[in-house]
Amino acid sequence: MAKSWYMLQVFVGHEAKIERTVRTLLERKELDSAVVTDVKVPVEEIIEIKDGKKKTKHENFMPGYLMVELDLPEIGWKDTCTALRRIQGVTGFVGTDPNVRPRAISAAEAKNLLQKIGVLKSEKTVKIKQSYSIGDIVKITDGPFASFSGNIEEVNDEKDKLRVNVQIFGRATPVEVSVLQVERV
Protein backbone atom coordinates (compact mmCIF):
# COMPACT_ATOMS: atom_id res chain seq x y z
CA MET A 1 0.00 0.00 0.00
CA ALA A 2 1.21 3.46 -0.88
CA LYS A 3 -0.40 6.83 -0.33
CA SER A 4 -1.69 8.50 -3.48
CA TRP A 5 -3.96 11.41 -4.33
CA TYR A 6 -7.31 10.72 -5.98
CA MET A 7 -9.84 13.11 -7.48
CA LEU A 8 -13.38 12.84 -6.19
CA GLN A 9 -16.09 14.37 -8.34
CA VAL A 10 -18.69 16.30 -6.31
CA PHE A 11 -21.56 18.73 -6.86
CA VAL A 12 -20.31 22.21 -7.76
CA GLY A 13 -20.53 24.52 -4.75
CA HIS A 14 -20.57 21.64 -2.23
CA GLU A 15 -16.81 21.05 -2.08
CA ALA A 16 -16.21 22.59 1.38
CA LYS A 17 -19.30 20.89 2.84
CA ILE A 18 -18.18 17.48 1.58
CA GLU A 19 -14.64 18.08 2.90
CA ARG A 20 -16.13 18.79 6.35
CA THR A 21 -18.28 15.65 6.08
CA VAL A 22 -15.24 13.48 5.27
CA ARG A 23 -13.33 14.98 8.22
CA THR A 24 -16.33 14.36 10.51
CA LEU A 25 -16.54 10.72 9.35
CA LEU A 26 -12.83 10.34 10.13
CA GLU A 27 -13.31 11.80 13.64
CA ARG A 28 -16.25 9.46 14.30
CA LYS A 29 -14.15 6.51 13.08
CA GLU A 30 -16.72 5.76 10.34
CA LEU A 31 -13.84 6.04 7.85
CA ASP A 32 -10.47 4.47 8.59
CA SER A 33 -7.88 7.22 9.14
CA ALA A 34 -5.15 4.81 8.04
CA VAL A 35 -6.82 4.57 4.62
CA VAL A 36 -8.21 8.11 4.16
CA THR A 37 -5.25 10.22 5.24
CA ASP A 38 -6.17 13.70 3.93
CA VAL A 39 -8.78 15.66 2.00
CA LYS A 40 -8.39 19.06 0.33
CA VAL A 41 -10.51 21.48 -1.67
CA PRO A 42 -8.44 22.86 -4.58
CA VAL A 43 -8.51 26.61 -3.83
CA GLU A 44 -5.90 29.22 -4.69
CA GLU A 45 -5.11 32.57 -3.15
CA ILE A 46 -5.94 35.53 -5.38
CA ILE A 47 -4.85 39.10 -4.69
CA GLU A 48 -7.31 41.48 -6.30
CA ILE A 49 -6.40 45.13 -6.74
CA LYS A 50 -9.36 47.47 -7.05
CA ASP A 51 -9.32 51.23 -6.54
CA GLY A 52 -5.78 51.03 -5.16
CA LYS A 53 -6.74 48.54 -2.44
CA LYS A 54 -5.45 44.98 -2.18
CA LYS A 55 -7.94 42.28 -1.28
CA THR A 56 -6.96 38.67 -0.73
CA LYS A 57 -9.53 35.99 -1.43
CA HIS A 58 -9.57 32.25 -1.95
CA GLU A 59 -11.12 30.91 -5.13
CA ASN A 60 -11.85 27.34 -6.12
CA PHE A 61 -9.90 26.73 -9.33
CA MET A 62 -11.38 23.25 -9.87
CA PRO A 63 -15.10 23.52 -9.10
CA GLY A 64 -16.74 20.13 -8.68
CA TYR A 65 -13.61 18.28 -7.54
CA LEU A 66 -12.05 17.30 -4.23
CA MET A 67 -8.56 15.89 -3.64
CA VAL A 68 -8.46 12.84 -1.37
CA GLU A 69 -5.24 11.17 -0.22
CA LEU A 70 -5.82 7.45 0.18
CA ASP A 71 -3.70 4.51 1.21
CA LEU A 72 -5.96 1.92 -0.45
CA PRO A 73 -5.39 -1.70 0.59
CA GLU A 74 -5.55 -4.49 -2.00
CA ILE A 75 -8.34 -6.17 -0.05
CA GLY A 76 -11.15 -4.03 1.32
CA TRP A 77 -10.62 -0.99 -0.92
CA LYS A 78 -14.21 -1.19 -2.09
CA ASP A 79 -15.64 -0.51 1.40
CA THR A 80 -13.75 2.79 1.70
CA CYS A 81 -14.59 3.87 -1.85
CA THR A 82 -18.27 3.01 -1.36
CA ALA A 83 -18.37 4.98 1.91
CA LEU A 84 -16.91 8.02 0.12
CA ARG A 85 -19.31 7.67 -2.83
CA ARG A 86 -22.32 7.47 -0.49
CA ILE A 87 -21.68 10.94 0.94
CA GLN A 88 -24.43 13.23 -0.27
CA GLY A 89 -23.14 15.36 -3.15
CA VAL A 90 -20.39 12.94 -4.27
CA THR A 91 -20.80 11.52 -7.77
CA GLY A 92 -17.72 9.26 -7.75
CA PHE A 93 -14.03 9.00 -8.48
CA VAL A 94 -12.77 10.59 -11.67
CA GLY A 95 -12.22 8.20 -14.54
CA THR A 96 -13.55 4.98 -13.00
CA ASP A 97 -16.76 3.02 -12.59
CA PRO A 98 -18.08 2.23 -9.10
CA ASN A 99 -17.03 -1.45 -9.41
CA VAL A 100 -13.47 -0.65 -10.52
CA ARG A 101 -10.62 0.36 -8.23
CA PRO A 102 -10.08 4.15 -8.63
CA ARG A 103 -6.95 5.42 -10.38
CA ALA A 104 -4.69 7.89 -8.60
CA ILE A 105 -3.50 11.06 -10.26
CA SER A 106 0.20 11.17 -11.13
CA ALA A 107 2.75 12.45 -8.63
CA ALA A 108 3.53 15.42 -10.91
CA GLU A 109 -0.16 16.38 -11.12
CA ALA A 110 -0.53 16.07 -7.36
CA LYS A 111 2.56 18.20 -6.76
CA ASN A 112 1.31 20.86 -9.18
CA LEU A 113 -2.12 21.00 -7.50
CA LEU A 114 -0.66 21.06 -3.98
CA GLN A 115 1.64 23.95 -4.96
CA LYS A 116 -1.32 25.88 -6.33
CA ILE A 117 -3.29 25.22 -3.15
CA GLY A 118 -0.34 26.35 -1.05
CA VAL A 119 0.30 23.11 0.83
CA LEU A 120 3.89 23.08 -0.44
CA LYS A 121 4.70 26.46 1.10
CA SER A 122 8.16 26.86 -0.40
CA GLU A 123 6.77 27.03 -3.92
CA LYS A 124 3.35 28.58 -3.27
CA THR A 125 1.95 30.55 -6.17
CA VAL A 126 -0.27 33.59 -5.74
CA LYS A 127 -2.45 34.73 -8.58
CA ILE A 128 -2.87 38.48 -8.92
CA LYS A 129 -6.04 39.80 -10.46
CA GLN A 130 -5.33 43.17 -11.96
CA SER A 131 -7.34 45.77 -13.79
CA TYR A 132 -4.66 47.95 -15.37
CA SER A 133 -4.38 48.82 -19.05
CA ILE A 134 -2.02 50.81 -21.25
CA GLY A 135 -2.46 54.56 -20.77
CA ASP A 136 -3.70 54.37 -17.15
CA ILE A 137 -2.09 56.87 -14.80
CA VAL A 138 -0.70 55.25 -11.64
CA LYS A 139 1.31 56.24 -8.58
CA ILE A 140 4.16 54.00 -7.44
CA THR A 141 3.67 53.22 -3.74
CA ASP A 142 6.60 50.91 -2.98
CA GLY A 143 10.21 50.42 -3.97
CA PRO A 144 12.93 52.85 -5.05
CA PHE A 145 10.53 54.89 -7.19
CA ALA A 146 7.88 55.34 -4.46
CA SER A 147 5.85 58.56 -4.80
CA PHE A 148 6.55 58.88 -8.56
CA SER A 149 3.55 58.97 -10.89
CA GLY A 150 3.34 58.06 -14.55
CA ASN A 151 1.35 56.41 -17.26
CA ILE A 152 1.41 52.69 -18.07
CA GLU A 153 3.35 51.91 -21.21
CA GLU A 154 3.20 48.09 -21.12
CA VAL A 155 1.29 45.41 -19.16
CA ASN A 156 2.88 41.96 -18.67
CA ASP A 157 0.13 39.67 -17.31
CA GLU A 158 2.36 36.59 -17.10
CA LYS A 159 4.88 38.22 -14.75
CA ASP A 160 2.40 40.65 -13.10
CA LYS A 161 4.66 43.56 -14.08
CA LEU A 162 3.97 46.99 -15.51
CA ARG A 163 6.25 49.35 -17.41
CA VAL A 164 5.44 52.84 -16.18
CA ASN A 165 6.79 56.01 -17.82
CA VAL A 166 7.80 58.40 -14.96
CA GLN A 167 9.44 61.83 -14.96
CA ILE A 168 12.91 61.71 -13.36
CA PHE A 169 14.93 64.95 -13.49
CA GLY A 170 12.57 66.26 -16.18
CA ARG A 171 13.06 63.29 -18.47
CA ALA A 172 10.58 60.49 -19.26
CA THR A 173 12.05 57.24 -17.97
CA PRO A 174 10.42 53.77 -18.28
CA VAL A 175 10.43 51.85 -14.98
CA GLU A 176 9.33 48.24 -14.49
CA VAL A 177 7.31 47.62 -11.31
CA SER A 178 5.08 44.91 -9.88
CA VAL A 179 1.32 45.44 -9.94
CA LEU A 180 1.48 45.30 -6.13
CA GLN A 181 3.68 48.41 -6.10
CA VAL A 182 1.22 50.75 -7.83
CA GLU A 183 -2.18 52.29 -7.27
CA ARG A 184 -4.48 54.10 -9.65
CA VAL A 185 -4.46 57.92 -9.47
PDB file of all heavy atoms in Angstrom, residues 49-53 129-141 149-150 152 162 179 181-185:
ATOM      1  N   ILE A  49      -6.689  43.724  -6.948  1.00  0.00           N
ATOM      2  CA  ILE A  49      -6.395  45.133  -6.742  1.00  0.00           C
ATOM      3  C   ILE A  49      -7.504  45.939  -7.392  1.00  0.00           C
ATOM      4  O   ILE A  49      -7.682  45.890  -8.608  1.00  0.00           O
ATOM      5  CB  ILE A  49      -5.025  45.507  -7.336  1.00  0.00           C
ATOM      6  CG1 ILE A  49      -3.938  44.642  -6.704  1.00  0.00           C
ATOM      7  CG2 ILE A  49      -4.742  46.980  -7.136  1.00  0.00           C
ATOM      8  CD1 ILE A  49      -2.607  44.738  -7.370  1.00  0.00           C
ATOM      9  N   LYS A  50      -8.262  46.645  -6.569  1.00  0.00           N
ATOM     10  CA  LYS A  50      -9.357  47.474  -7.053  1.00  0.00           C
ATOM     11  C   LYS A  50      -9.301  48.802  -6.342  1.00  0.00           C
ATOM     12  O   LYS A  50      -9.234  48.855  -5.125  1.00  0.00           O
ATOM     13  CB  LYS A  50     -10.703  46.804  -6.751  1.00  0.00           C
ATOM     14  CG  LYS A  50     -11.424  46.308  -7.949  1.00  0.00           C
ATOM     15  CD  LYS A  50     -12.790  45.820  -7.581  1.00  0.00           C
ATOM     16  CE  LYS A  50     -13.353  45.041  -8.741  1.00  0.00           C
ATOM     17  NZ  LYS A  50     -14.598  44.420  -8.425  1.00  0.00           N
ATOM     18  N   ASP A  51      -9.349  49.885  -7.097  1.00  0.00           N
ATOM     19  CA  ASP A  51      -9.323  51.231  -6.541  1.00  0.00           C
ATOM     20  C   ASP A  51      -8.135  51.444  -5.607  1.00  0.00           C
ATOM     21  O   ASP A  51      -8.238  52.080  -4.569  1.00  0.00           O
ATOM     22  CB  ASP A  51     -10.634  51.541  -5.797  1.00  0.00           C
ATOM     23  CG  ASP A  51     -11.838  51.426  -6.720  1.00  0.00           C
ATOM     24  OD1 ASP A  51     -11.687  51.725  -7.916  1.00  0.00           O
ATOM     25  OD2 ASP A  51     -12.922  51.039  -6.233  1.00  0.00           O
ATOM     26  N   GLY A  52      -6.990  50.847  -5.945  1.00  0.00           N
ATOM     27  CA  GLY A  52      -5.777  51.027  -5.160  1.00  0.00           C
ATOM     28  C   GLY A  52      -5.722  50.211  -3.878  1.00  0.00           C
ATOM     29  O   GLY A  52      -4.800  50.343  -3.094  1.00  0.00           O
ATOM     30  N   LYS A  53      -6.709  49.350  -3.654  1.00  0.00           N
ATOM     31  CA  LYS A  53      -6.735  48.540  -2.435  1.00  0.00           C
ATOM     32  C   LYS A  53      -6.537  47.073  -2.789  1.00  0.00           C
ATOM     33  O   LYS A  53      -7.097  46.577  -3.755  1.00  0.00           O
ATOM     34  CB  LYS A  53      -8.057  48.727  -1.705  1.00  0.00           C
ATOM     35  CG  LYS A  53      -8.242  50.145  -1.208  1.00  0.00           C
ATOM     36  CD  LYS A  53      -9.511  50.293  -0.438  1.00  0.00           C
ATOM     37  CE  LYS A  53      -9.654  51.750  -0.020  1.00  0.00           C
ATOM     38  NZ  LYS A  53     -10.859  51.991   0.718  1.00  0.00           N
ATOM     39  N   LYS A 129      -5.007  39.350  -9.537  1.00  0.00           N
ATOM     40  CA  LYS A 129      -6.043  39.800 -10.456  1.00  0.00           C
ATOM     41  C   LYS A 129      -5.890  41.302 -10.584  1.00  0.00           C
ATOM     42  O   LYS A 129      -6.025  42.029  -9.611  1.00  0.00           O
ATOM     43  CB  LYS A 129      -7.420  39.439  -9.873  1.00  0.00           C
ATOM     44  CG  LYS A 129      -8.487  39.244 -10.876  1.00  0.00           C
ATOM     45  CD  LYS A 129      -9.722  38.722 -10.185  1.00  0.00           C
ATOM     46  CE  LYS A 129     -10.745  38.259 -11.169  1.00  0.00           C
ATOM     47  NZ  LYS A 129     -11.916  37.728 -10.511  1.00  0.00           N
ATOM     48  N   GLN A 130      -5.592  41.751 -11.781  1.00  0.00           N
ATOM     49  CA  GLN A 130      -5.328  43.166 -11.964  1.00  0.00           C
ATOM     50  C   GLN A 130      -6.325  43.771 -12.945  1.00  0.00           C
ATOM     51  O   GLN A 130      -6.913  43.073 -13.740  1.00  0.00           O
ATOM     52  CB  GLN A 130      -3.905  43.392 -12.450  1.00  0.00           C
ATOM     53  CG  GLN A 130      -3.623  42.749 -13.792  1.00  0.00           C
ATOM     54  CD  GLN A 130      -2.210  42.991 -14.235  1.00  0.00           C
ATOM     55  OE1 GLN A 130      -1.510  43.785 -13.657  1.00  0.00           O
ATOM     56  NE2 GLN A 130      -1.780  42.304 -15.271  1.00  0.00           N
ATOM     57  N   SER A 131      -6.439  45.071 -12.874  1.00  0.00           N
ATOM     58  CA  SER A 131      -7.341  45.766 -13.787  1.00  0.00           C
ATOM     59  C   SER A 131      -6.654  47.007 -14.344  1.00  0.00           C
ATOM     60  O   SER A 131      -7.217  48.087 -14.331  1.00  0.00           O
ATOM     61  CB  SER A 131      -8.631  46.124 -13.069  1.00  0.00           C
ATOM     62  OG  SER A 131      -8.351  46.916 -11.935  1.00  0.00           O
ATOM     63  N   TYR A 132      -5.420  46.848 -14.790  1.00  0.00           N
ATOM     64  CA  TYR A 132      -4.663  47.952 -15.366  1.00  0.00           C
ATOM     65  C   TYR A 132      -4.569  47.768 -16.873  1.00  0.00           C
ATOM     66  O   TYR A 132      -4.513  46.646 -17.368  1.00  0.00           O
ATOM     67  CB  TYR A 132      -3.242  48.015 -14.785  1.00  0.00           C
ATOM     68  CG  TYR A 132      -3.202  48.293 -13.307  1.00  0.00           C
ATOM     69  CD1 TYR A 132      -2.813  47.323 -12.404  1.00  0.00           C
ATOM     70  CD2 TYR A 132      -3.568  49.534 -12.819  1.00  0.00           C
ATOM     71  CE1 TYR A 132      -2.781  47.583 -11.048  1.00  0.00           C
ATOM     72  CE2 TYR A 132      -3.540  49.799 -11.456  1.00  0.00           C
ATOM     73  CZ  TYR A 132      -3.149  48.826 -10.583  1.00  0.00           C
ATOM     74  OH  TYR A 132      -3.123  49.082  -9.245  1.00  0.00           O
ATOM     75  N   SER A 133      -4.543  48.891 -17.600  1.00  0.00           N
ATOM     76  CA  SER A 133      -4.382  48.824 -19.045  1.00  0.00           C
ATOM     77  C   SER A 133      -3.438  49.938 -19.492  1.00  0.00           C
ATOM     78  O   SER A 133      -3.156  50.884 -18.745  1.00  0.00           O
ATOM     79  CB  SER A 133      -5.734  48.932 -19.750  1.00  0.00           C
ATOM     80  OG  SER A 133      -6.388  50.122 -19.380  1.00  0.00           O
ATOM     81  N   ILE A 134      -2.969  49.834 -20.700  1.00  0.00           N
ATOM     82  CA  ILE A 134      -2.025  50.807 -21.254  1.00  0.00           C
ATOM     83  C   ILE A 134      -2.689  52.184 -21.290  1.00  0.00           C
ATOM     84  O   ILE A 134      -3.839  52.324 -21.687  1.00  0.00           O
ATOM     85  CB  ILE A 134      -1.568  50.377 -22.660  1.00  0.00           C
ATOM     86  CG1 ILE A 134      -0.798  49.062 -22.547  1.00  0.00           C
ATOM     87  CG2 ILE A 134      -0.717  51.445 -23.325  1.00  0.00           C
ATOM     88  CD1 ILE A 134      -0.429  48.438 -23.870  1.00  0.00           C
ATOM     89  N   GLY A 135      -1.946  53.188 -20.800  1.00  0.00           N
ATOM     90  CA  GLY A 135      -2.459  54.558 -20.773  1.00  0.00           C
ATOM     91  C   GLY A 135      -2.996  54.982 -19.418  1.00  0.00           C
ATOM     92  O   GLY A 135      -3.187  56.174 -19.176  1.00  0.00           O
ATOM     93  N   ASP A 136      -3.237  54.025 -18.501  1.00  0.00           N
ATOM     94  CA  ASP A 136      -3.701  54.370 -17.154  1.00  0.00           C
ATOM     95  C   ASP A 136      -2.617  55.145 -16.419  1.00  0.00           C
ATOM     96  O   ASP A 136      -1.425  54.872 -16.579  1.00  0.00           O
ATOM     97  CB  ASP A 136      -4.036  53.114 -16.341  1.00  0.00           C
ATOM     98  CG  ASP A 136      -5.309  52.433 -16.792  1.00  0.00           C
ATOM     99  OD1 ASP A 136      -6.042  53.022 -17.610  1.00  0.00           O
ATOM    100  OD2 ASP A 136      -5.566  51.306 -16.316  1.00  0.00           O
ATOM    101  N   ILE A 137      -3.035  56.105 -15.607  1.00  0.00           N
ATOM    102  CA  ILE A 137      -2.085  56.866 -14.799  1.00  0.00           C
ATOM    103  C   ILE A 137      -2.066  56.250 -13.401  1.00  0.00           C
ATOM    104  O   ILE A 137      -3.115  56.061 -12.782  1.00  0.00           O
ATOM    105  CB  ILE A 137      -2.464  58.358 -14.739  1.00  0.00           C
ATOM    106  CG1 ILE A 137      -2.414  58.938 -16.158  1.00  0.00           C
ATOM    107  CG2 ILE A 137      -1.522  59.120 -13.824  1.00  0.00           C
ATOM    108  CD1 ILE A 137      -2.902  60.357 -16.272  1.00  0.00           C
ATOM    109  N   VAL A 138      -0.866  55.904 -12.927  1.00  0.00           N
ATOM    110  CA  VAL A 138      -0.703  55.251 -11.637  1.00  0.00           C
ATOM    111  C   VAL A 138       0.360  55.964 -10.807  1.00  0.00           C
ATOM    112  O   VAL A 138       1.207  56.680 -11.341  1.00  0.00           O
ATOM    113  CB  VAL A 138      -0.313  53.760 -11.794  1.00  0.00           C
ATOM    114  CG1 VAL A 138      -1.429  52.955 -12.425  1.00  0.00           C
ATOM    115  CG2 VAL A 138       0.961  53.599 -12.589  1.00  0.00           C
ATOM    116  N   LYS A 139       0.300  55.730  -9.498  1.00  0.00           N
ATOM    117  CA  LYS A 139       1.308  56.243  -8.577  1.00  0.00           C
ATOM    118  C   LYS A 139       2.041  55.037  -8.001  1.00  0.00           C
ATOM    119  O   LYS A 139       1.411  54.072  -7.567  1.00  0.00           O
ATOM    120  CB  LYS A 139       0.634  57.037  -7.453  1.00  0.00           C
ATOM    121  CG  LYS A 139       1.609  57.576  -6.433  1.00  0.00           C
ATOM    122  CD  LYS A 139       0.887  58.342  -5.343  1.00  0.00           C
ATOM    123  CE  LYS A 139       1.891  58.844  -4.329  1.00  0.00           C
ATOM    124  NZ  LYS A 139       1.218  59.467  -3.192  1.00  0.00           N
ATOM    125  N   ILE A 140       3.359  55.088  -8.005  1.00  0.00           N
ATOM    126  CA  ILE A 140       4.161  54.005  -7.443  1.00  0.00           C
ATOM    127  C   ILE A 140       4.184  54.180  -5.927  1.00  0.00           C
ATOM    128  O   ILE A 140       4.525  55.253  -5.428  1.00  0.00           O
ATOM    129  CB  ILE A 140       5.583  53.998  -8.039  1.00  0.00           C
ATOM    130  CG1 ILE A 140       5.501  53.834  -9.561  1.00  0.00           C
ATOM    131  CG2 ILE A 140       6.422  52.883  -7.434  1.00  0.00           C
ATOM    132  CD1 ILE A 140       6.823  53.970 -10.285  1.00  0.00           C
ATOM    133  N   THR A 141       3.801  53.126  -5.193  1.00  0.00           N
ATOM    134  CA  THR A 141       3.671  53.223  -3.737  1.00  0.00           C
ATOM    135  C   THR A 141       4.779  52.514  -2.983  1.00  0.00           C
ATOM    136  O   THR A 141       4.903  52.683  -1.772  1.00  0.00           O
ATOM    137  CB  THR A 141       2.329  52.620  -3.290  1.00  0.00           C
ATOM    138  OG1 THR A 141       2.265  51.254  -3.722  1.00  0.00           O
ATOM    139  CG2 THR A 141       1.157  53.395  -3.858  1.00  0.00           C
ATOM    140  N   SER A 149       4.762  59.284 -10.130  1.00  0.00           N
ATOM    141  CA  SER A 149       3.551  58.971 -10.894  1.00  0.00           C
ATOM    142  C   SER A 149       3.899  58.915 -12.368  1.00  0.00           C
ATOM    143  O   SER A 149       4.848  59.556 -12.824  1.00  0.00           O
ATOM    144  CB  SER A 149       2.482  60.045 -10.675  1.00  0.00           C
ATOM    145  OG  SER A 149       2.029  60.021  -9.355  1.00  0.00           O
ATOM    146  N   GLY A 150       3.107  58.153 -13.116  1.00  0.00           N
ATOM    147  CA  GLY A 150       3.336  58.064 -14.551  1.00  0.00           C
ATOM    148  C   GLY A 150       2.239  57.286 -15.231  1.00  0.00           C
ATOM    149  O   GLY A 150       1.299  56.816 -14.590  1.00  0.00           O
ATOM    150  N   ILE A 152       1.012  54.056 -17.754  1.00  0.00           N
ATOM    151  CA  ILE A 152       1.412  52.691 -18.067  1.00  0.00           C
ATOM    152  C   ILE A 152       1.702  52.585 -19.552  1.00  0.00           C
ATOM    153  O   ILE A 152       0.887  52.957 -20.395  1.00  0.00           O
ATOM    154  CB  ILE A 152       0.320  51.690 -17.644  1.00  0.00           C
ATOM    155  CG1 ILE A 152       0.131  51.732 -16.127  1.00  0.00           C
ATOM    156  CG2 ILE A 152       0.673  50.279 -18.096  1.00  0.00           C
ATOM    157  CD1 ILE A 152      -0.986  50.868 -15.609  1.00  0.00           C
ATOM    158  N   LEU A 162       4.394  45.860 -14.693  1.00  0.00           N
ATOM    159  CA  LEU A 162       3.973  46.995 -15.507  1.00  0.00           C
ATOM    160  C   LEU A 162       5.201  47.809 -15.868  1.00  0.00           C
ATOM    161  O   LEU A 162       6.121  47.937 -15.057  1.00  0.00           O
ATOM    162  CB  LEU A 162       3.015  47.898 -14.724  1.00  0.00           C
ATOM    163  CG  LEU A 162       1.732  47.290 -14.160  1.00  0.00           C
ATOM    164  CD1 LEU A 162       1.036  48.297 -13.264  1.00  0.00           C
ATOM    165  CD2 LEU A 162       0.818  46.856 -15.277  1.00  0.00           C
ATOM    166  N   VAL A 179       2.658  44.864 -10.080  1.00  0.00           N
ATOM    167  CA  VAL A 179       1.317  45.437  -9.937  1.00  0.00           C
ATOM    168  C   VAL A 179       0.980  45.706  -8.475  1.00  0.00           C
ATOM    169  O   VAL A 179       0.090  46.502  -8.173  1.00  0.00           O
ATOM    170  CB  VAL A 179       0.225  44.546 -10.575  1.00  0.00           C
ATOM    171  CG1 VAL A 179       0.388  44.475 -12.065  1.00  0.00           C
ATOM    172  CG2 VAL A 179       0.202  43.174  -9.970  1.00  0.00           C
ATOM    173  N   GLN A 181       2.962  47.190  -6.492  1.00  0.00           N
ATOM    174  CA  GLN A 181       3.676  48.409  -6.100  1.00  0.00           C
ATOM    175  C   GLN A 181       3.009  49.698  -6.604  1.00  0.00           C
ATOM    176  O   GLN A 181       3.551  50.762  -6.419  1.00  0.00           O
ATOM    177  CB  GLN A 181       5.110  48.369  -6.634  1.00  0.00           C
ATOM    178  CG  GLN A 181       5.982  47.307  -6.009  1.00  0.00           C
ATOM    179  CD  GLN A 181       7.356  47.305  -6.626  1.00  0.00           C
ATOM    180  OE1 GLN A 181       7.525  47.138  -7.832  1.00  0.00           O
ATOM    181  NE2 GLN A 181       8.364  47.500  -5.792  1.00  0.00           N
ATOM    182  N   VAL A 182       1.865  49.567  -7.260  1.00  0.00           N
ATOM    183  CA  VAL A 182       1.215  50.752  -7.827  1.00  0.00           C
ATOM    184  C   VAL A 182      -0.241  50.857  -7.383  1.00  0.00           C
ATOM    185  O   VAL A 182      -0.838  49.879  -6.952  1.00  0.00           O
ATOM    186  CB  VAL A 182       1.277  50.761  -9.379  1.00  0.00           C
ATOM    187  CG1 VAL A 182       2.695  50.794  -9.874  1.00  0.00           C
ATOM    188  CG2 VAL A 182       0.529  49.592  -9.961  1.00  0.00           C
ATOM    189  N   GLU A 183      -0.753  52.077  -7.478  1.00  0.00           N
ATOM    190  CA  GLU A 183      -2.177  52.292  -7.267  1.00  0.00           C
ATOM    191  C   GLU A 183      -2.651  53.310  -8.281  1.00  0.00           C
ATOM    192  O   GLU A 183      -1.889  54.169  -8.732  1.00  0.00           O
ATOM    193  CB  GLU A 183      -2.476  52.749  -5.846  1.00  0.00           C
ATOM    194  CG  GLU A 183      -1.893  54.078  -5.462  1.00  0.00           C
ATOM    195  CD  GLU A 183      -2.209  54.457  -4.023  1.00  0.00           C
ATOM    196  OE1 GLU A 183      -2.368  53.567  -3.183  1.00  0.00           O
ATOM    197  OE2 GLU A 183      -2.283  55.678  -3.775  1.00  0.00           O
ATOM    198  N   ARG A 184      -3.898  53.197  -8.657  1.00  0.00           N
ATOM    199  CA  ARG A 184      -4.484  54.101  -9.645  1.00  0.00           C
ATOM    200  C   ARG A 184      -4.623  55.499  -9.073  1.00  0.00           C
ATOM    201  O   ARG A 184      -4.955  55.681  -7.917  1.00  0.00           O
ATOM    202  CB  ARG A 184      -5.871  53.572 -10.016  1.00  0.00           C
ATOM    203  CG  ARG A 184      -6.232  53.799 -11.447  1.00  0.00           C
ATOM    204  CD  ARG A 184      -7.603  53.215 -11.735  1.00  0.00           C
ATOM    205  NE  ARG A 184      -7.624  51.780 -11.898  1.00  0.00           N
ATOM    206  CZ  ARG A 184      -7.253  51.143 -13.008  1.00  0.00           C
ATOM    207  NH1 ARG A 184      -6.839  51.820 -14.032  1.00  0.00           N
ATOM    208  NH2 ARG A 184      -7.321  49.841 -13.091  1.00  0.00           N
ATOM    209  N   VAL A 185      -4.345  56.513  -9.912  1.00  0.00           N
ATOM    210  CA  VAL A 185      -4.463  57.916  -9.472  1.00  0.00           C
ATOM    211  C   VAL A 185      -5.866  58.411  -9.783  1.00  0.00           C
ATOM    212  O   VAL A 185      -6.454  58.108 -10.764  1.00  0.00           O
ATOM    213  CB  VAL A 185      -3.421  58.798 -10.171  1.00  0.00           C
ATOM    214  CG1 VAL A 185      -3.622  60.259  -9.810  1.00  0.00           C
ATOM    215  CG2 VAL A 185      -2.039  58.358  -9.790  1.00  0.00           C
TER     216      VAL A 185
END
